[in-house]
Amino acid sequence: MSLPLYFISWNCRGGLFNSRKQKFIRQMVSTHDLLFIGLVESKREIVDNFLINNLWPNLDFGFDWIPSTGASGGLVFIWNSILIRNVTITKGSRWIAFDFVFDNIRYRHILVYASNVTSERLLLWQELSHLMGFIGTIFISGDFNETLSPEDRWNSTVFSPSIEGFLLGKIHSRSHHEEFSNFVTESWGLVCLNSQNLIRRLRELRQAIKKWNSEVFGDHNKRIKELNQEILVKEIAAESGLLTEAEKDDLSKLKSDLWTAEKRVDSLWVQKSREKWNVEGDRNTKFFHSVASTHYRNNHISSIQVEDNIFIEPKDIRFHIRDFFSSLFSKSDRVVYDLSGLNFSKITGPQADLLTRPFMESEIFGALCSCGEKRRQGLMGSTSIFIGELGLL
């Protein structure tokens, strides 16, 4: 029988500084048996264990966060660290991707807090599209600052570009050039006419694609360097409050272009690494030996230090490793303790003897006579007046 997976995403709006709001979140987790909770607009630049202890009803938690920018924004994600396993966190400027295993099923939850600037939302949808390749169940929650229908916005009759990007995934990226497929088809037809040899055809097609890539995209690394410089100039101006709204939109577009260029370079290196492995992976090549040597260096223990001594001989290394783990996991036969450093109040020898000396009849009689008639109660509620009745007075 599978366990239910309960979670809540909640916009704090006023931040997490109010103790009443912290108590409300804590009760919400307990009442609904939440496995995790995503808090949007935390307005906290730093999130620590003290704050999470006020939000989560027990100590079985893990958490991560994205700091706020000044007095706005911020995300906090808290989960049950006992029931949720294999947690991996990936973060952007406005999202947290939470990968985990629950009830032997793999999940990815993405907590989002979108900007109220259209161009920045388009960039956000572009970032999130690259998280959709996860093998497992994906669900997204948070505050998207977006409407699903034009009728939801006053005097709106058409979809805005950001709505289309959100609903349809229209990511206008040159990494996915619309002419590339046609170019490859035409180029392959030409190389097939020029040669019947498959290896030669593939080689010529590769050269044609390299030329096309250079003409269409140019030098990726040079473009990234130029974009970084332009962004730096505009961000310096933004710190002084000198940017207009149009210039802010330009800054967002530059960041979007930079992100696209960097992802294109990453994709290029991934393809090259796969090509290298497919061609030379398990063959007895220099590439194979370099991979094997790297694994050996990572796993090899050349020396071990025990206190102030360093051992390099394999037999010594094996002995001290075995000795360490044997002592770590073995049970001690006796508990070693020392009370010599503790200062206790002590009685003298004669006082100790008095405690063990037999009682005398005169002592008992003196104690009874020292009691008032009705001053103290004795057994069964009777008072010391019973002494007279016994004929002791």
Side-chain angles (χ1 to χ4, degrees):
M1 180 178 179
S2 61
L3 297 174
L5 193 159
Y6 298 128
F7 73 94
I8 286 178
S9 295
W10 189 55
N11 192 320
C12 304
R13 298 198 180 277
L16 294 174
F17 296 94
N18 191 304
S19 59
R20 293 173 58 187
K21 186 173 294 184
Q22 294 175 3
K23 183 178 179 181
F24 171 77
I25 295 172
R26 188 184 182 97
Q27 291 176 343
M28 185 164 52
V29 174
S30 298
T31 303
H32 300 284
D33 294 326
L34 302 183
L35 287 179
F36 60 87
I37 185 170
L39 302 175
V40 178
E41 201 173 339
S42 64
K43 297 188 177 182
R44 299 295 291 258
E45 294 184 1
I46 297 177
V47 176
D48 53 19
N49 279 280
F50 180 79
L51 174 62
I52 303 301
N53 278 324
N54 291 333
L55 301 175
W56 197 260
N58 53 58
L59 298 179
D60 298 331
F61 64 77
F63 71 96
D64 211 323
W65 83 98
I66 294 177
S68 62
T69 303
S72 62
L75 299 171
V76 178
F77 205 90
I78 316 172
W79 64 90
N80 186 316
S81 59
I82 300 298
L83 298 178
I84 291 180
R85 300 179 290 105
N86 300 347
V87 172
T88 302
I89 298 291
T90 309
K91 297 188 288 187
S93 60
R94 286 186 170 272
W95 54 267
I96 298 178
F98 175 62
D99 298 350
F100 64 96
V101 174
F102 175 70
D103 201 18
N104 296 321
I105 301 175
R106 300 178 72 239
Y107 295 94
R108 166 171 288 177
H109 176 264
I110 307 172
L111 180 66
V112 176
Y113 183 41
S115 170
N116 56 5
V117 179
T118 300
S119 57
E120 292 183 2
R121 287 200 301 275
L122 278 172
L123 177 61
L124 176 61
W125 310 148
Q126 185 176 359
E127 289 184 35
L128 296 182
S129 68
H130 291 270
L131 300 174
M132 297 298 108
F134 177 77
I135 301 176
T137 302
I138 303 175
F139 43 99
I140 308 175
S141 66
D143 189 343
F144 298 92
N145 272 320
E146 194 60 272
T147 55
L148 297 179
S149 173
E151 290 77 15
D152 294 336
R153 179 174 293 173
W154 184 258
N155 291 332
S156 178
T157 57
V158 297
F159 287 104
S160 68
S162 62
I163 296 178
E164 291 182 347
F166 175 60
L167 294 177
L168 307 177
K170 293 181 178 180
I171 303 168
H172 307 289
S173 169
R174 293 190 297 271
S175 297
H176 304 83
H177 200 283
E178 60 274 7
E179 297 297 329
F180 180 72
S181 179
N182 294 333
F183 170 78
V184 172
T185 302
E186 294 173 2
S187 299
W188 180 249
L190 291 175
V191 299
C192 288
L193 292 176
N194 296 334
S195 174
Q196 299 298 320
N197 186 288
L198 178 60
I199 301 299
R200 184 173 298 174
R201 287 178 178 180
L202 293 174
R203 186 179 294 116
E204 290 181 6
L205 178 62
R206 180 182 180 185
Q207 293 300 323
I209 292 175
K210 289 180 66 176
K211 181 180 178 181
W212 179 87
N213 178 71
S214 177
E215 292 174 351
V216 174
F217 295 120
D219 189 333
H220 298 301
N221 294 320
K222 181 180 179 182
R223 178 58 177 160
I224 290 174
K225 185 177 180 180
E226 291 173 350
L227 287 170
N228 276 316
Q229 186 62 34
E230 293 181 47
I231 290 172
L232 177 62
V233 172
K234 288 190 177 294
E235 285 184 339
I236 292 175
E239 291 178 357
S240 304
L242 301 178
L243 290 184
T244 63
E245 290 300 322
E247 290 174 328
K248 290 180 181 178
D249 289 339
D250 291 340
L251 178 59
S252 299
K253 186 178 183 305
L254 287 173
K255 290 183 178 180
S256 176
D257 292 342
L258 176 62
W259 185 88
T260 301
E262 289 176 340
K263 287 298 178 182
R264 191 180 300 128
V265 172
D266 291 343
S267 175
L268 182 63
W269 280 109
V270 168
Q271 293 176 43
K272 286 184 176 180
S273 67
R274 290 174 177 172
E275 176 188 5
K276 190 75 171 177
W277 183 266
N278 290 332
V279 174
E280 302 183 3
D282 291 331
R283 297 173 58 189
N284 190 19
T285 60
K286 182 179 179 181
F287 172 72
F288 172 81
H289 284 283
S290 64
V291 172
S293 298
T294 301
H295 285 302
Y296 173 78
R297 285 193 298 270
N298 290 337
N299 297 326
H300 179 63
I301 301 176
S302 60
S303 63
I304 188 171
Q305 181 175 348
V306 180
E307 296 180 349
D308 295 330
N309 301 317
I310 298 178
F311 301 92
I312 60 175
E313 292 294 329
K315 62 177 183 179
D316 296 331
I317 294 175
R318 288 195 298 268
F319 171 79
H320 285 289
I321 290 176
R322 182 179 182 279
D323 181 66
F324 170 78
F325 284 103
S326 296
S327 60
L328 180 64
F329 294 107
S330 61
K331 182 178 180 181
S332 179
D333 294 333
R334 64 188 185 90
V335 178
V336 180
Y337 60 90
D338 182 16
L339 302 179
S340 60
L342 301 177
N343 296 320
F344 293 104
S345 299
K346 299 179 180 179
I347 60 176
T348 62
Q351 291 174 329
D353 294 337
L354 287 174
L355 292 176
T356 58
R357 191 184 66 180
F359 291 107
M360 298 178 65
E361 184 178 345
S362 59
E363 290 179 314
I364 298 174
F365 186 78
L368 293 174
C369 291
S370 65
C371 296
E373 281 189 353
K374 298 182 180 180
R375 187 171 300 169
R376 299 181 183 179
Q377 286 188 334
L379 295 175
M380 304 300 292
S382 60
T383 62
S384 56
I385 197 169
F386 79 98
I387 297 176
E389 298 175 354
L390 292 176
L392 296 178
L393 292 179

